[in-house]
Amino acid sequence: MFPVRPISEELLREIDKTVLDERRLRWREAIKAAPYAMLTDRQKYATEAWKETEGEDLELRRAKMVKKIAENVAINILDYDFIVGRIGPGIVGNYTEIDVVGDYLDGLWSDDGIQGTLHDKATVSAEDLEILREAARTFRDHNPVDCVNKVFAEVLGDWPRDAVDAHLKDPDLSSGNFGNCTNTFDFDKILNKGVLYYRAEAQAHIDEFLNNKTQEIEKYFFWKAAVIVCDATLALAKRYADLAREKAAWETDPARKAELEQIAAVCERVPAHPARSFHEALQSMVLTGLMKALEHPMHNQPHWGRGDSYLYPFFINDIRSGALTAQRALELLAEVVGRWGTQLQIQSALHKQTHQITYGISSMNLGGVGPDGVENANELSYLFLHAVGLLHLSSPTVIVNWTSASPRWFMKKAVETNRLTGGGIPLFENDEHMVESFVRDGVSREEARTWIGRGCVWPALPQRSEYKGGAAGFNSAAMLQLALHNGVAVTGKKLGLETGDPRDFKTFDEFYGAYVRQHNFVMQRTLWLADVARDTQYKYLRLPALSVFSIRQCMDKGRDTMIPDVQCEYGITDRAIIDCADSLIAVKKLVYDEKKLTMDELIRALDTNFEGERGEEIRQLCLGAPKFGNDIPEVDELAAKVGQMSADSVTSWDHSPYPAFKSVREGLSWHYAAGLGVGALPNGRKALEPLNDASASPMRGMDCCGPTAVLRSVLRGDFGRGSYVVALNQKFPRSAVASDEDVEKLVDYTNAFLAAGGTHIQYNIVDSEELKDAKIRPEEHRDLIVRVGGFSAYFVQLSSDIQDDVIGRTELTL
């Protein structure tokens, strides 16, 4: 048991009394009604800067591009704003980034509008359309997507593109998810040092370089770029300060005039200098965080990391001094949480399938054991949960770092917040397991205790870049497809090995062996391509702002985060373990043990999607085979075997001197996109339907023995042996947490599962009938939030298939 931090119960009670102010309420309604906005001014200035700097070093070109963008894009201060700094001048919007990912906009060369997400189409003017098309022409073959794809084709021909088309892996590089691009800003240092400190650091390195006549010129260019992006950040803050003073001069309402003058004074102070108050800390975070969106808009989300830790001194000092009330603290925090939780995405075609959301995924970690070995849950953790519950938004992703010392008041507040949001906010992650996983892989315990979740809860160390290399997701179910068809994918192309016709296999072990061979072949090829991308993409893209403000070693080493570093964290999401386990047990039982079907009969039924004379009969046999999630040892142990095999396949790839890839099984709506690459399966699932959600969730509707049976199956599967995290979704009706006693019961349930070794659990608290009605009458359920896989979303924004998937999940009762 870890020691806990002392807290003020009186302050917790004060927080419980706080409410959203009138401006936050107006903003919340306005954001829901705001039209989808695609902004082109960033792209205009990016293209101009690229042409102006032709022939210069890449690091300097990218830095000067960021500076030109920061100094010229349209800004505004809305009536809702007390903390300033938005993507664009409106209440919502996002920039394009053709300079980063090339010609990725769906519909760019048509006149019907650009499809930014599954449901959102942007109609742009003829002038704006030409800005985007000129960018596509300018950056063609000058961006990492085009250049890496050419290298892929050089080494493996059509296979890399065909593998993406067949959904053997995802996403493709057009997602912008390059290695090392999703770092989290080091807000602890930013708030306590200020941007001028960073600038002075870079200048000192430059002076030392010149004085010592150092020969590593790329370091010099990096530090020069660091100075440029620091100046760009300061220029952006000054623009907001000047705008606030200009607006104050014309403001007739005395209260708002005073606010605008205070905004100007704060922006003149931060982020240049260290923050002195909770207000200044939040403003510093927003203005520096905006630089991430200006540099790499597709991954604009300024993840909070452990915000309840680095913000706590500012918060508690202001509370204790009387400079800040709980109500005012809520208003300030809710403004930033709400803004970062409603930043639009503009997605590529495949990205839309894997994400299915309008808003980006901003994440935060609350509680957990810090480097000093003390459980960190505090009053600010409580305020974060309170604000999230009141805002009732689909983002941010809130991660409760559960430990055996997590205070009861903290866990109760988390479950109560889940009751208010409904859709898996917050989720519960086993902090102790995560720390031990990092320690097992050679990370010091002190550093391991700083881990955070990014995006769909990818575990990361904040002072190390993370690398996926355009191969974040690996589709184990598609490997079963290959094994059933002698290496032929659902697209009809031979992408796997020739492991033989399964009709000729005499034993289940032969069939399982063919599956393992397909799995290892595609996995190792996928990781090889990731390494090829690692050694290629940095030649065509640098991210100096992200490098300066995220990883401290970047400044020390004079090294952009895009350049491969042995300190980098490598990982891949190997998924569909449960789909495979259920399908394998069905083959074992029906074909080999009980001989109810021949392999020929089974494959014919699968290839015809269970149509024809015996199709439905065979499907019912498949559905009736034992299923994971019902506390059946044979199935659960097979899932454990498959999971360990997959994790071993990941970790065995040797790309020394870099650290081994790690297995991470988080979320996304990955199971929808991956399902498009898998025909009918022996578990009874029909062709191209979504796979099982999350990564440890039972097949929808097939967990028939209650919620604790599911937990026992997951624990018996012991996925924690090979994977950092395995996500489990469960669905409960609203009545399950209607009373305080019900909340206490769900706290006990959560504590028991995680204490027994569970790694990740999240709850949809929603009625199935409500979901069905929302599909028919979406206009009456615009606020309905559900947990999809590793993120939450507004139910009415999801594809019909995913809506059916959520509806079909078993509604459990405690």
Side-chain angles (χ1 to χ4, degrees):
M1 190 66 125
F2 304 98
V4 298
R5 300 197 185 282
I7 57 98
S8 167
E9 293 185 7
E10 180 182 357
L11 180 53
L12 298 187
R13 289 192 291 270
E14 286 299 312
I15 290 171
D16 279 333
K17 297 175 186 175
T18 62
V19 296
L20 293 182
D21 60 301
E22 182 267 340
R23 273 198 288 189
R24 284 311 96 216
L25 292 172
R26 283 194 293 115
W27 168 85
R28 192 173 63 175
E29 293 308 306
I31 197 76
K32 293 172 184 176
Y36 186 82
M38 181 180 295
L39 311 172
T40 63
D41 54 347
R42 178 203 173 275
Q43 199 65 75
K44 172 186 174 183
Y45 297 117
T47 304
E48 289 180 3
W50 188 255
K51 292 177 179 179
E52 292 165 358
T53 58
E54 185 174 358
E56 296 186 32
D57 176 78
L58 179 60
E59 195 81 51
L60 293 177
R61 295 187 80 179
R62 295 298 307 188
K64 290 178 180 180
M65 180 187 293
V66 171
K67 187 170 187 287
K68 179 153 191 170
I69 292 167
E71 291 176 345
N72 289 281
V73 290
I75 65 171
N76 199 5
I77 299 174
L78 304 182
D79 291 341
Y80 312 105
D81 298 346
F82 188 66
I83 293 174
V84 299
R86 294 181 174 276
I87 296 178
I91 192 170
V92 70
N94 198 7
Y95 308 114
T96 61
E97 56 169 67
I98 294 169
D99 52 294
V100 177
V101 295
D103 190 352
Y104 76 108
L105 296 175
D106 193 0
L108 176 60
W109 301 100
S110 74
D111 296 321
D112 298 329
I114 296 172
Q115 194 74 32
T117 70
L118 275 178
H119 301 285
D120 304 300
K121 180 174 284 191
T123 302
V124 296
S125 67
E127 179 183 1
D128 287 339
L129 189 60
E130 180 52 31
I131 288 172
L132 299 177
R133 288 175 175 175
E134 174 60 16
R137 290 188 286 265
T138 300
F139 290 99
R140 187 172 293 132
D141 298 328
H142 294 285
N143 66 81
V145 174
D146 290 351
C147 296
V148 171
N149 280 334
K150 284 183 178 179
V151 175
F152 280 179
E154 180 68 28
V155 297
L156 280 178
D158 293 335
W159 193 92
R161 173 48 52 193
D162 290 342
V164 170
D165 291 343
H167 295 277
L168 304 189
K169 67 182 188 70
D170 72 83
D172 68 357
L173 294 169
S174 68
S175 68
N177 193 7
F178 309 114
N180 315 339
C181 77
T182 54
N183 301 349
T184 303
F185 272 24
D186 187 357
F187 288 122
D188 190 11
K189 181 178 177 181
I190 291 168
L191 300 184
N192 287 288
K193 297 293 187 180
V195 172
L196 285 174
Y197 179 90
Y198 285 86
R199 192 187 190 285
E201 272 191 304
Q203 188 59 54
H205 283 298
I206 291 170
D207 294 341
E208 182 181 16
F209 179 93
L210 295 174
N211 291 334
N212 294 340
K213 299 180 176 62
T214 306
Q215 297 179 22
E216 297 173 282
I217 192 63
E218 69 277 2
K219 293 184 177 183
Y220 175 78
F221 287 140
F222 175 80
W223 290 318
K224 289 281 287 186
V227 170
I228 293 170
V229 296
C230 286
D231 287 344
T233 307
L234 299 174
L236 184 65
K238 185 178 186 304
R239 292 183 69 199
Y240 275 104
D242 291 346
L243 181 60
R245 293 209 182 279
E246 180 184 332
K247 284 181 172 285
W250 293 96
E251 181 58 58
T252 58
D253 176 55
R256 182 57 176 166
K257 185 182 185 74
E259 281 186 348
L260 289 165
E261 290 172 345
Q262 186 178 2
I263 288 170
V266 170
C267 290
E268 288 164 351
R269 167 77 193 180
V270 295
H273 302 282
R276 300 168 298 184
S277 67
F278 190 57
H279 176 194
E280 287 186 355
L282 290 172
Q283 182 62 82
S284 182
M285 290 175 67
V286 170
L287 287 175
T288 51
L290 188 53
M291 294 299 293
K292 191 175 185 184
L294 296 179
E295 185 171 61
H296 191 357
M298 197 180 287
H299 292 274
N300 60 63
Q301 306 89 350
H303 300 302
W304 292 81
R306 298 201 177 203
D308 62 344
S309 178
Y310 58 76
L311 280 170
Y312 185 70
F314 301 100
F315 165 77
I316 202 66
N317 289 342
D318 282 2
I319 289 287
R320 289 172 178 168
S321 71
L324 185 70
T325 64
Q327 176 61 38
R328 186 57 177 158
L330 170 74
E331 293 167 5
L332 293 170
L333 187 63
E335 182 166 348
V336 181
V337 170
R339 186 176 310 169
W340 282 3
T342 52
Q343 296 191 166
L344 294 184
Q345 287 202 327
I346 299 174
Q347 302 163 339
S348 63
L350 183 58
H351 210 192
K352 290 196 286 285
Q353 292 178 352
T354 57
H355 282 63
Q356 298 222 358
I357 48 176
T358 296
Y359 298 134
I361 307 170
S362 172
S363 59
M364 66 175 70
N365 290 70
L366 302 177
V369 174
D372 58 359
V374 178
E375 162 60 48
N376 191 58
N378 56 48
E379 300 95 328
L380 184 56
S381 315
Y382 198 85
L383 182 64
F384 266 109
L385 290 170
H386 190 69
V388 166
L390 293 177
L391 285 166
H392 194 80
L393 300 171
S394 63
S395 186
T397 292
V398 183
I399 306 153
V400 167
N401 284 30
W402 178 93
T403 71
S404 54
S406 293
R408 189 78 180 183
W409 56 261
F410 180 50
M411 292 295 291
K412 280 192 64 178
K413 188 65 171 179
V415 171
E416 288 166 353
T417 303
N418 197 168
R419 176 170 62 184
L420 289 171
T421 59
I425 304 173
L427 61 90
F428 301 88
E429 196 106 319
N430 191 326
D431 184 80
E432 295 176 17
H433 168 77
M434 199 69 71
V435 170
E436 293 305 319
S437 296
F438 278 113
V439 171
R440 176 194 65 205
D441 287 344
V443 176
S444 72
R445 190 168 301 276
E446 183 178 19
E447 184 182 6
R449 285 173 172 167
T450 68
W451 79 270
I452 58 173
R454 294 189 182 120
C456 289
V457 204
W458 184 277
L461 298 172
Q463 282 305 311
R464 300 194 191 199
S465 298
E466 64 181 17
Y467 185 80
K468 306 185 189 76
F474 180 84
N475 190 350
S476 294
M479 303 308 106
L480 195 58
Q481 174 84 23
L482 296 179
L484 284 162
H485 297 88
N486 199 19
V488 177
V490 72
T491 56
K493 295 185 177 181
K494 180 157 285 190
L495 301 179
L497 297 172
E498 291 189 6
T499 49
D501 187 337
R503 297 171 180 85
D504 298 331
F505 296 158
K506 303 303 182 186
T507 66
F508 173 73
D509 287 342
E510 285 185 71
F511 178 72
Y512 182 76
Y515 161 66
V516 172
R517 288 179 63 200
Q518 298 289 359
H519 187 289
N520 289 336
F521 170 76
V522 178
M523 174 65 79
Q524 304 265 309
R525 183 166 279 200
T526 297
L527 298 182
W528 175 42
L529 287 175
D531 284 347
V532 169
R534 176 201 65 213
D535 290 338
T536 304
Q537 60 195 16
Y538 77 93
K539 300 173 185 176
Y540 304 97
L541 178 68
R542 302 294 170 83
L543 299 171
L546 181 66
S547 303
V548 168
F549 294 127
S550 62
I551 309 298
R552 296 176 189 180
Q553 285 193 0
C554 288
M555 183 71 82
D556 297 338
K557 294 181 177 181
R559 186 190 195 100
D560 192 286
T561 186
M562 288 295 296
I563 298 175
D565 191 322
V566 293
Q567 291 295 314
C568 187
E569 285 290 307
Y570 285 77
I572 188 170
T573 297
D574 52 327
R575 293 280 304 277
I577 303 301
I578 306 306
D579 303 83
C580 290
D582 282 350
S583 295
L584 288 166
I585 199 71
V587 171
K588 183 176 186 296
K589 291 291 186 183
L590 299 176
V591 176
Y592 294 103
D593 292 352
E594 300 170 1
K595 303 189 186 303
K596 293 181 179 179
L597 294 172
T598 65
M599 184 64 82
D600 181 67
E601 288 173 325
L602 176 61
I603 291 177
R604 284 177 181 272
L606 298 179
D607 288 349
T608 58
N609 203 22
F610 299 111
E611 300 294 335
E613 184 177 348
R614 294 191 62 205
E616 186 57 29
E617 175 195 347
I618 293 175
R619 182 168 186 249
Q620 290 306 315
L621 287 172
C622 292
L623 289 171
K627 293 289 186 289
F628 179 85
N630 293 292
D631 194 16
I632 302 171
E634 185 179 11
V635 186
D636 304 341
E637 289 163 7
L638 182 54
K641 181 180 179 180
V642 172
Q644 191 63 48
M645 177 277 298
S646 183
D648 289 344
S649 182
V650 172
T651 57
S652 65
W653 172 250
D654 183 10
H655 63 158
S656 303
Y658 302 103
F661 278 86
K662 61 190 179 187
S663 163
V664 181
R665 297 166 185 153
E666 21 84 285
L668 292 176
S669 58
W670 176 93
H671 59 297
Y672 168 76
L676 299 176
V678 184
L681 285 175
N683 64 357
R685 166 198 162 275
K686 287 196 168 185
L688 310 186
E689 287 184 351
L691 300 172
N692 297 340
D693 66 274
S695 51
S697 297
M699 184 176 179
R700 52 190 167 275
M702 299 306 292
D703 44 334
C704 308
C705 300
T708 55
V710 176
L711 300 194
R712 285 193 290 270
S713 285
V714 174
L715 293 171
R716 187 180 288 117
D718 195 15
F719 301 111
R721 286 182 302 158
S723 185
Y724 271 61
V725 60
V726 179
L728 171 64
N729 271 337
Q730 292 196 303
K731 186 170 76 174
F732 293 104
R734 296 189 189 278
S735 60
V737 287
S739 67
D740 189 65
E741 181 182 359
D742 295 331
V743 169
E744 297 276 6
K745 190 183 297 184
L746 191 53
V747 169
D748 290 335
Y749 178 85
T750 306
N751 285 339
F753 174 62
L754 296 172
T759 64
H760 175 140
I761 193 166
Q762 52 203 18
Y763 306 116
N764 268 318
I765 299 177
V766 60
D767 297 326
S768 294
E769 291 305 314
E770 182 181 8
L771 294 171
K772 293 174 184 176
D773 191 63
K775 189 172 182 184
I776 298 170
R777 286 182 284 273
E779 68 283 353
E780 297 181 15
H781 300 271
R782 292 173 58 202
D783 294 341
L784 180 59
I785 299 171
V786 294
R787 193 71 171 177
V788 179
F791 68 91
S792 299
Y794 293 106
F795 181 79
V796 298
Q797 292 181 351
L798 298 170
S799 66
S800 178
D801 285 342
I802 285 292
Q803 288 178 333
D804 290 340
D805 166 61
V806 176
I807 291 170
R809 298 175 192 176
T810 303
E811 186 172 283
L812 303 164
T813 56
L814 289 173

